[in-house]
């Protein structure tokens, strides 16, 4: 079957974010997008799932749904990237914006923020709710030391073009973690914390009535 522009856009969106959900589709024409998702599902190119919380989502064609932790990570990253200037990093983004940058693991877990004329590279870590603040702080220090081993990343840090963002499910944890990460400013890395309470719907779902 011939693939429409809308279907190509939807497949690109799922490839970038792992999932698609009907509240945050990559187009203003929600009705056409839902029809495109339905058609792609019928053709076997994507799979449709419904989490016990009632969240409906689509992935690449698969034999089973995402685990709760994988769904939370994908959902957290997707919601975090709803800012117009921010998007999840892909290999083509590296070629376009950071051609001299190479690091094992890129582009996974990274995003690009084009809020200024000089695009900023970021690493996003989604807390699935189980990690203690102290453990996250230790992990942040370990990550920074690894990034510091790369000359290319040091150039970005010098130009204030690299940041690490922790995505957490509650504002209470956001405040505690922000305070705990504050001393890491001395490393030259901007560590931010973003609260997305919607993640609680997946982390602690109230089962939907059938």
């Amino acid at each position: 079957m011939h693939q429409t522009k809308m279907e190509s856009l939807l497949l690109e969106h799922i490839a970038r974010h792992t999932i698609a959900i009907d509240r945050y589709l990559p187009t203003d024409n929600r009705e056409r997008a839902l029809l495109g998702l339905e058609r792609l599902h019928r053709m076997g190119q994507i799979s449709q799932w419904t989490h016990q919380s009632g969240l409906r989502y689509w992935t690449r064609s698969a034999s089973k749904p995402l685990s709760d932790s994988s769904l939370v990570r994908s959902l957290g990253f997707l919601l975090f990237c709803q800012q117009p200037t921010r998007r999840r990093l892909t290999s083509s983004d590296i070629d376009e914006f950071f051609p001299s940058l190479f690091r094992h693991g890129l582009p996974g877990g990274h995003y690009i923020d084009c809020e200024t004329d000089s695009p900023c590279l970021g690493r996003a870590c989604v807390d699935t709710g189980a990690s203690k603040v102290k453990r996250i702080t230790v992990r942040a220090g370990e990550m920074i030391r690894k990034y510091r081993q790369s000359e290319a990343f040091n150039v970005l840090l010098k130009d204030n073009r690299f940041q690490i963002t922790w995505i957490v499910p509650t504002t209470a944890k956001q405040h505690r973690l922000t305070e705990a990460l504050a001393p890491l400013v001395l490393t030259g890395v901007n560590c931010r914390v973003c609260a997305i309470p919607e993640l609680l719907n997946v982390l602690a779902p109230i089962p939907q009535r059938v």
Side-chain angles (χ1 to χ4, degrees):
M1 282 188 178
H2 175 69
Q3 196 174 94
T4 66
K5 289 183 178 180
M6 174 63 75
E7 289 162 359
S8 296
L9 179 65
L10 292 167
L11 288 173
E12 179 184 339
H13 176 80
I14 291 174
R16 184 184 290 268
H17 293 288
T18 306
I19 63 171
I21 59 175
D22 55 16
R23 282 168 294 165
Y24 299 100
L25 294 168
T27 175
D28 292 332
N29 195 328
R30 182 175 179 274
E31 184 177 347
R32 277 191 62 206
L34 289 175
L35 288 173
L37 288 168
E38 182 180 343
R39 187 167 183 266
L40 289 169
H41 183 216
R42 289 201 310 267
M43 291 190 295
Q45 294 193 43
I46 63 174
S47 296
Q48 176 180 307
W49 312 98
T50 301
H51 186 260
Q52 62 174 319
S53 62
L55 175 69
R56 181 174 60 159
Y57 65 97
W58 292 265
T59 66
R60 290 178 174 177
S61 183
S63 60
K64 59 182 180 180
L66 297 176
S67 65
D68 282 3
S69 58
S70 293
L71 179 57
V72 168
R73 292 188 184 97
S74 297
L75 179 62
F77 215 135
L78 173 63
L79 298 182
F80 174 67
C81 288
Q82 291 310 301
Q83 292 291 335
T85 61
R86 188 185 301 148
R87 66 176 183 264
R88 191 162 188 162
L89 192 73
T90 64
S91 298
S92 60
D93 291 329
I94 297 175
D95 294 337
E96 180 179 356
F97 296 102
F98 310 102
S100 63
L101 187 63
F102 173 81
R103 179 180 182 273
H104 180 69
L106 280 175
H110 292 77
Y111 62 91
I112 181 173
D113 197 323
C114 298
E115 186 174 1
T116 65
D117 292 337
S118 299
C120 179
L121 178 67
R123 169 70 186 273
C125 302
V126 182
D127 171 42
T128 58
S131 299
K132 295 183 180 299
V133 168
K134 183 177 181 180
R135 176 68 190 109
I136 294 176
T137 306
V138 170
R139 185 184 171 200
E142 294 171 347
M143 289 173 56
I144 290 171
R145 284 191 290 275
K146 289 181 180 179
Y147 280 112
R148 279 290 192 186
Q149 295 172 6
S150 166
E151 182 178 344
F153 272 98
N154 282 319
V155 171
L156 290 177
L157 287 169
K158 183 179 179 181
D159 295 337
N160 196 30
R161 294 177 58 206
F162 180 70
Q163 58 190 222
I164 297 176
T165 300
W166 250 268
I167 300 168
V168 299
T170 65
T171 53
K173 193 164 189 177
Q174 178 188 27
H175 296 325
R176 296 198 308 273
L177 186 54
T178 298
E179 183 179 354
L181 293 174
L184 293 180
V185 71
L186 298 176
T187 66
V189 178
N190 180 17
C191 293
R192 309 164 58 198
V193 186
C194 174
I196 302 182
E198 191 170 345
L199 298 180
L200 286 173
N201 295 335
V202 177
L203 289 168
I206 299 175
Q208 300 296 298
R209 291 183 178 179
V210 178

